[in-house]
């Protein structure tokens, strides 16, 4: 299923940079709670936010939100 927590690597990349959820939220212009929800897979970010997350975390949108076999058409 698209957007499931298992397909979300935001937390992994954030922890590699040793920044808090609040710090990441501040850097990309959203609340800490938005970061919490995104990491848990409860919230699918807009394309614009996904791009900002990827840029801030030094990776690509594809690395943060990889497609699984179930996501394929």
């Amino acid at each position: 299923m698209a957007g499931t927590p298992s397909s979300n690597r935001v937390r992994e990349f954030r922890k590699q940079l040793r920044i808090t959820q609040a710090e990441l939220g501040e850097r990309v212009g959203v609340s800490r709670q938005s970061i919490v929800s995104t990491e848990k897979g409860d919230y699918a970010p807009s394309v614009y936010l996904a791009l900002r997350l990827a840029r801030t975390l030094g990776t690509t949108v594809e690395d943060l939100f990889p497609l699984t076999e179930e996501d394929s058409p």
Side-chain angles (χ1 to χ4, degrees):
M1 192 156 117
T4 60
S6 62
S7 67
N8 183 327
R9 297 179 65 205
V10 175
R11 177 176 287 140
E12 175 186 336
F13 280 92
R14 177 181 59 77
K15 288 189 175 242
Q16 286 176 7
L17 291 178
R18 297 181 180 177
I19 60 176
T20 67
Q21 292 167 327
E23 289 169 327
L24 180 56
E26 186 175 312
R27 291 182 189 188
V28 299
V30 298
S31 69
R32 181 191 69 81
Q33 190 56 45
S34 292
I35 299 299
V36 170
S37 294
T38 299
E39 287 184 352
K40 289 167 84 177
D42 294 337
Y43 174 73
S46 67
V47 172
Y48 184 66
L49 177 55
L51 288 167
R52 287 185 292 168
L53 286 166
R55 180 176 288 163
T56 301
L57 295 171
T59 190
T60 65
V61 172
E62 291 83 358
D63 282 342
L64 288 180
F65 304 97
L67 291 176
T68 64
E69 297 268 332
E70 296 172 355
D71 297 327
S72 299

